Amino acid sequence: MIAVPMRRERIRDGVLAMAGFAVIEAAVGALWPAAGPQVVTWEAALSVVGWSAFGGIVAALPQGHRLLPLAWALILGPHLARTADAPALAVVALALGLVGVLRPRVGAALIVGSGLAAAAVGQRPETAPPIEGGAGRDVVLITVDTLRADALGALPGEGWWVFDQAISAAPWTLPAMDSLMRGLPVRRHGGGRVVEGGFTRPDARTTPLAEALQARGYATAAFVSNPHLRAELGFDEGFQRFAHSDRWVEPLFGVHTAQAWRHRLGGPLPRLRHDRDALLVDAAIRWWSAGSSAPRFLWVHLLLPHEYRRDPHPRRAPSDSPADLRAAYRGNVDACAAELTRLLAALGDGPLVFVTADHGESLGEEGRWGHGGALVDPQLRVPLRVRGLGEGRTARQVAVVDLYRAAVEGSLQPLVQGRPVVEVGATRRSPSAWGARIEGGALIPRSAPGESSGEILAPDDALKQALEAIGYVDERDRIGRGKGP
Ligand SMILES: [Zn+2]
């Protein structure tokens, strides 16, 4: 017969167990910082006090010493399961909670130990040891999501080469970034097309930019945000360190949960989303400042301009009026430009820097808003600035995909010489317009028949040929004919 502990002892054990959890979690987070948010001292102190109080209150209940491990398993288990993408963890947590019901002292020890588990999912390893040696100049690629060519003002510092007419390979992220990273238009790499259950991947015979540079002795790291740029779609290939903000959690479980619930109840966005670009820049600067004996390739992808409706900066939800939406877009571009400036200042004058966008954004031109649905100028024209290869300006049309060779060769020639025809294509969703961009910047727009009815019809043969010539192949058509990539 096991003696039932006194109420005071139960409370003491409950407080100590939860305090132990909070201290371990905060200590691990502070000693081994991850790419995302860092441990904030006052939040860590609040976490220890808050969880201790929780432990004391639950333990004070009748049978509280048995209840506490089970309650804790039900609170922490789902969080571990979700953030580590391992549903089995919830079952393990529940099983351990049940152990605690039978053996409360063991349960208390498990609660203390769970601090390590909570810290581990918040601090998922994203590092690899830097490679030694190699020669070459540091290369930095900064892509800003949804940044129109006319939205980016002057960049700080001297020595920028400005391209006035840079054309992205596609009007939405996945095919545009696949193209940029492979140095090829959509037709040539075949990636970023919508197929049953997902998207096509670029031809395996093509080499991602990071892999090409790593083969030349570069240490490589990426700090990115858009869900399309996740590792599962191959964007981590060639990166020794790949940090995607969607994988980040707050280092303190209590803070993570409190922010999520506050947002769910109508409060502001969690820090992980609202401050995403700032956190990405922080993480990139930390990696850069650590130095390297090898030349470095750094890729940073910022998202603020894309989020002007969902996450306006400053916080003021725009109405649906065109003026309000344009002002919100402007606000987010300005906030992003501030982060860009901070990053550029930290990089110094040494590296070869490319600043561009995956695509632009329609802000009411021809009645269109957003991106991804039409091959039109506001969505295809992007800023392109290069620092480290002299100062100047190029007014003629260039393809952003040629940035690949410029980065590998450390030369402006691939961009300046350019291609005679810039290829764009691979719209997803329902294309509301079809167009062919030809040399000289001329655009042949054409509305898809049946647009107003919401019905999607195939373009006629002549237009289809014109589109195929520039790399656009309608996905339904491709499947029908069974063509390869
Ligand atoms: Zn995008």
Side-chain angles (χ1 to χ4, degrees):
M1 180 85 188
I2 301 166
V4 176
M6 299 291 290
R7 190 158 181 253
R8 204 165 35 165
E9 285 172 37
R10 298 202 320 255
I11 293 174
R12 183 200 61 200
D13 288 353
V15 168
L16 286 179
M18 291 307 308
F21 158 80
V23 167
I24 288 178
E25 184 197 41
V28 173
L31 290 173
W32 291 279
Q38 306 300 291
V39 172
V40 180
T41 310
W42 72 264
E43 288 178 348
L46 195 64
S47 166
V48 174
V49 172
W51 286 124
S52 302
F54 169 81
I57 290 167
V58 175
L61 299 171
Q63 295 297 315
H65 60 310
R66 297 180 187 281
L67 194 62
L68 183 61
L70 187 61
W72 184 238
L74 291 172
I75 292 171
L76 185 66
H79 170 76
L80 294 179
R82 200 168 46 244
T83 46
D85 292 334
L89 276 181
V91 179
V92 171
L94 187 64
L96 294 176
L98 289 171
V99 169
V101 172
L102 302 171
R103 304 287 302 276
R105 279 290 167 95
V106 176
L110 289 171
I111 289 173
V112 176
S114 68
L116 282 174
V121 297
Q123 317 296 309
R124 50 177 77 241
E126 288 177 306
T127 54
I131 50 171
E132 296 293 320
R137 190 170 176 188
D138 289 334
V139 175
V140 178
L141 169 65
I142 304 170
T143 46
V144 180
D145 214 290
T146 320
L147 185 61
R148 286 166 61 109
D150 58 7
L152 183 63
L155 288 173
E158 308 224 309
W160 287 99
W161 199 286
V162 179
F163 291 89
D164 287 327
Q165 272 212 76
I167 309 299
S168 177
W172 66 284
T173 309
L174 185 55
M177 291 307 296
D178 269 340
S179 302
L180 197 159
M181 288 304 186
R182 308 282 163 159
L184 295 168
V186 177
R187 175 178 59 85
R188 301 270 304 282
H189 63 70
R193 297 198 171 112
V194 184
V195 287
E196 191 76 34
F199 309 100
T200 57
R201 294 294 311 127
D203 191 321
R205 287 166 297 184
T206 61
T207 309
L209 178 57
E211 215 171 283
L213 288 171
Q214 203 191 69
R216 284 164 173 76
Y218 275 71
T220 55
F223 299 88
V224 301
S225 46
N226 188 309
H228 284 302
L229 304 180
R230 59 190 190 270
E232 290 80 357
L233 288 169
F235 283 95
D236 64 333
E237 287 171 26
F239 286 106
Q240 294 160 310
R241 175 164 188 178
F242 186 81
H244 195 298
S245 64
D246 285 3
R247 311 285 295 163
W248 291 351
V249 289
E250 286 285 346
L252 302 176
F253 165 56
V255 172
H256 191 87
T257 308
Q259 290 192 8
W261 274 103
R262 202 173 51 161
H263 178 53
R264 220 169 282 172
L265 298 172
L269 279 175
R271 174 165 62 197
L272 279 167
R273 280 177 62 193
H274 185 70
D275 295 339
R276 175 169 32 205
D277 282 7
L279 293 168
L280 283 164
V281 167
D282 286 347
I285 290 175
R286 276 198 300 275
W287 182 78
W288 191 263
S289 308
S292 165
S293 63
R296 291 166 289 182
F297 172 51
L298 169 66
W299 172 34
V300 179
H301 185 91
L302 303 177
L303 198 64
L304 262 169
H306 186 281
E307 300 295 286
Y308 64 100
R309 284 173 189 253
R310 271 183 299 204
D311 178 23
H313 286 237
R315 294 183 199 266
R316 188 168 20 83
S319 76
D320 280 341
S321 83
D324 220 15
L325 287 171
R326 285 187 201 110
Y329 179 75
R330 187 71 253 166
N332 277 36
V333 167
D334 289 347
C336 192
E339 293 306 328
L340 187 55
T341 300
R342 196 160 67 86
L343 177 58
L344 289 170
L347 295 173
D349 291 331
L352 177 55
V353 182
F354 297 88
V355 177
T356 188
D358 53 351
H359 52 78
E361 177 83 345
S362 282
L363 291 175
E365 293 89 355
E366 299 171 334
R368 288 195 185 86
W369 290 89
H371 59 263
L375 304 180
V376 293
D377 256 31
Q379 298 181 31
L380 290 170
R381 265 186 71 180
V382 291
L384 175 58
R385 315 275 174 92
V386 184
R387 189 171 75 185
L389 293 173
E391 198 168 321
R393 197 162 203 121
T394 302
R396 66 180 287 273
Q397 185 179 303
V398 300
V400 174
V401 296
D402 289 328
L403 185 157
Y404 181 102
R405 281 199 299 131
V408 172
E409 294 169 19
S411 160
L412 274 185
Q413 282 311 307
L415 279 166
V416 172
Q417 285 169 350
R419 292 157 193 265
V421 175
V422 173
E423 298 192 8
V424 294
T427 55
R428 67 169 177 171
R429 310 185 193 117
S430 49
S432 60
W434 308 79
R437 173 172 276 284
I438 55 172
E439 192 170 18
L443 191 73
I444 312 166
R446 179 97 63 105
S447 290
E451 187 180 3
S452 55
S453 65
E455 182 187 5
I456 307 157
L457 300 175
D460 61 53
D461 282 350
L463 182 58
K464 212 184 280 181
Q465 275 170 19
L467 286 167
E468 287 188 352
I470 60 154
Y472 183 87
V473 183
D474 183 22
E475 190 52 47
R476 292 158 296 160
D477 213 38
R478 258 172 56 78
I479 294 168
R481 279 193 255 151
K483 278 201 291 188

